[in-house]
Amino acid sequence: MQVGPGIGPITNNNFRFAKVLSERGYSIDLVGTNINQDVYDTAPPCINLYSLQVHGFIKYILPLAKYLKDKNPDAIFCSGPTTHVASGIAKLISNYKGAVVYRSHIETSIYLEERSWINRKVLTLLLRLTKNLCHKNVAASRGAANDLAEVLRIDPSRVDVLYNPCVDDAVLISANESVNHPWLLDRKYPVLVTAARLAEQKSIDVMLRALALSHEHKKMRLIILGDGPLKDELIELTRELKIHEYVDFHGHVDNPYAFMKQADLFVLSSNFEGFANVVAEALAVG
């Protein structure tokens, strides 16, 4: 498996996926390019973390090949297009005989569109050249599966759907913890909650403009759980829209589920999602 350098949706999803496999009797290594300390601190005890100690797509192919040769796992699940390619090449170099499963969390075409022209063309070509090195393609939703099939130029029937295991007992237990946020205590106005990275994909600006429009008829408050590169820009937008008193950029929280449970409404404004974990989580906690 592959894990990013820090805690985020992909990391948490891999944690849950690994826990499910562990509960079914499998021994799990979670392999990352260069794992930060916060990942070690929060990883479930059933997972063995293995850091390749490198940055960059090209640089981790040889360390990954060495891992496959030394550890020889029964199967490796690869998350993300660059990891798909690197795993295929590492399989050839190491003469690895186990199963390689390509696992896509979002629409691959959108991921490619966000890269430079030459980067996109090269990565697309490499994905197609290495596609036969995997034993199985899976995606987090049928839409993501069809999109991956189109990128790889294969029949959609060759891509199975494997939904994210996004709700477990820990989510339900965490949802019952208390939250001392003043807006959830006084209930002067209805409270909306969103949990998202403050990045272009999540379209928080659309959510803020919708809130401003709603204020023409009914006042509401919005708690935004998460951080990201657009934070300052979005804060300025709330001032322009004259809703800054009704929006709390609360930042990252370890337990968003308690906020979700106590909110009057959970909202999501993403441009795209492979499988929106937060929607399933919000539904699960009521």
Side-chain angles (χ1 to χ4, degrees), residues 41-79:
D41 293 340
T42 54
C46 63
I47 298 174
N48 306 309
L49 290 176
Y50 190 96
S51 180
L52 300 176
Q53 299 295 338
V54 292
H55 287 287
F57 160 55
I58 299 296
K59 292 181 179 178
Y60 73 78
I61 293 176
L62 289 178
L64 181 58
K66 184 178 186 304
Y67 167 83
L68 293 175
K69 188 172 183 178
D70 293 346
K71 299 291 185 177
N72 193 30
D74 294 303
I76 178 169
F77 287 79
C78 320
S79 300

Side-chain angles (χ1 to χ4, degrees), residues 6 37-38 40 44 51 67-68 82 85 94 111 118 121 127 133 177 184 204 227 242 248 254 268 284:
Q37 186 59 47
D38 57 349
Y40 284 100
S51 180
Y67 167 83
L68 293 175
T82 56
V85 174
S94 63
Y111 173 89
I118 186 65
K121 293 297 183 181
L127 282 168
L133 295 174
E177 294 181 4
L184 294 171
I204 302 297
D227 215 329
K242 296 181 172 57
D248 176 23
D254 292 330
L268 185 71

Side-chain angles (χ1 to χ4, degrees), residues 144-159:
N146 291 343
D147 182 82
L148 178 61
E150 185 172 344
V151 169
L152 296 180
R153 293 179 177 171
I154 61 176
D155 191 284
S157 65
R158 291 180 58 189
V159 186

Side-chain angles (χ1 to χ4, degrees), residues 232-250:
D232 292 342
E233 180 180 320
L234 293 169
I235 289 174
E236 181 58 32
L237 179 59
T238 64
R239 296 193 181 103
E240 293 174 9
L241 296 171
K242 296 181 172 57
I243 56 171
H244 55 281
E245 295 180 7
Y246 300 91
V247 180
D248 176 23
F249 289 86
H250 202 69

Side-chain angles (χ1 to χ4, degrees), residues 256-269:
Y257 315 115
F259 283 85
M260 292 177 181
K261 183 171 183 178
Q262 294 191 37
D264 295 290
L265 187 70
F266 179 82
V267 289
L268 185 71
S269 55

Side-chain angles (χ1 to χ4, degrees), residues 5-282:
I7 295 296
I10 298 297
T11 306
N12 285 326
N13 185 50
N14 279 333
F15 281 172
R16 288 174 180 162
F17 186 58
K19 284 173 66 177
V20 170
L21 292 175
S22 177
E23 290 167 359
R24 299 189 179 191
Y26 295 94
S27 175
I28 304 298
D29 285 355
L30 196 56
V31 180
T33 52
N34 192 13
I35 302 176
N36 287 349
Q37 186 59 47
D38 57 349
V39 179
Y40 284 100
D41 293 340
T42 54
C46 63
I47 298 174
N48 306 309
L49 290 176
Y50 190 96
S51 180
L52 300 176
Q53 299 295 338
V54 292
H55 287 287
F57 160 55
I58 299 296
K59 292 181 179 178
Y60 73 78
I61 293 176
L62 289 178
L64 181 58
K66 184 178 186 304
Y67 167 83
L68 293 175
K69 188 172 183 178
D70 293 346
K71 299 291 185 177
N72 193 30
D74 294 303
I76 178 169
F77 287 79
C78 320
S79 300
T82 56
T83 313
H84 294 181
V85 174
S87 299
I89 298 173
K91 169 187 168 70
L92 286 177
I93 294 172
S94 63
N95 198 30
Y96 173 62
K97 301 301 183 184
V100 176
V101 181
Y102 290 176
R103 185 165 172 253
S104 297
H105 297 273
I106 64 172
E107 283 82 352
T108 306
S109 63
I110 296 176
Y111 173 89
L112 293 169
E113 285 171 8
E114 294 178 339
R115 307 175 80 88
S116 67
W117 183 86
I118 186 65
N119 197 318
R120 179 168 65 251
K121 293 297 183 181
V122 170
L123 184 52
T124 301
L125 177 62
L126 289 173
L127 282 168
R128 290 169 179 167
L129 289 174
T130 59
K131 65 185 178 184
N132 292 325
L133 295 174
C134 77
H135 292 74
K136 179 66 69 174
N137 292 290
V138 298
S141 66
R142 175 42 59 189
N146 291 343
D147 182 82
L148 178 61
E150 185 172 344
V151 169
L152 296 180
R153 293 179 177 171
I154 61 176
D155 191 284
S157 65
R158 291 180 58 189
V159 186
D160 291 334
V161 176
L162 181 63
Y163 295 114
N164 294 337
C166 53
V167 177
D168 56 17
D169 290 342
V171 169
L172 303 179
I173 292 169
S174 297
N176 291 318
E177 294 181 4
S178 61
V179 177
N180 294 320
H181 193 289
W183 292 357
L184 294 171
L185 296 175
D186 69 23
R187 296 290 179 172
K188 182 179 180 180
Y189 302 110
V191 178
L192 316 181
V193 165
T194 190
R197 186 167 181 267
L198 306 185
E200 186 176 353
Q201 175 197 347
K202 303 300 181 178
S203 294
I204 302 297
D205 60 315
V206 173
M207 187 182 300
L208 295 176
R209 295 181 192 282
L211 182 67
L213 287 172
S214 74
H215 274 215
E216 297 176 8
H217 308 282
K218 185 179 182 67
K219 294 288 191 295
M220 288 180 278
R221 287 166 166 165
L222 170 64
I223 300 173
I224 300 176
L225 306 177
D227 215 329
L230 298 183
K231 182 176 181 178
D232 292 342
E233 180 180 320
L234 293 169
I235 289 174
E236 181 58 32
L237 179 59
T238 64
R239 296 193 181 103
E240 293 174 9
L241 296 171
K242 296 181 172 57
I243 56 171
H244 55 281
E245 295 180 7
Y246 300 91
V247 180
D248 176 23
F249 289 86
H250 202 69
H252 172 79
V253 296
D254 292 330
N255 179 14
Y257 315 115
F259 283 85
M260 292 177 181
K261 183 171 183 178
Q262 294 191 37
D264 295 290
L265 187 70
F266 179 82
V267 289
L268 185 71
S269 55
S270 298
N271 286 329
F272 63 90
E273 296 282 352
F275 182 98
N277 288 349
V278 289
V279 172
E281 291 164 347

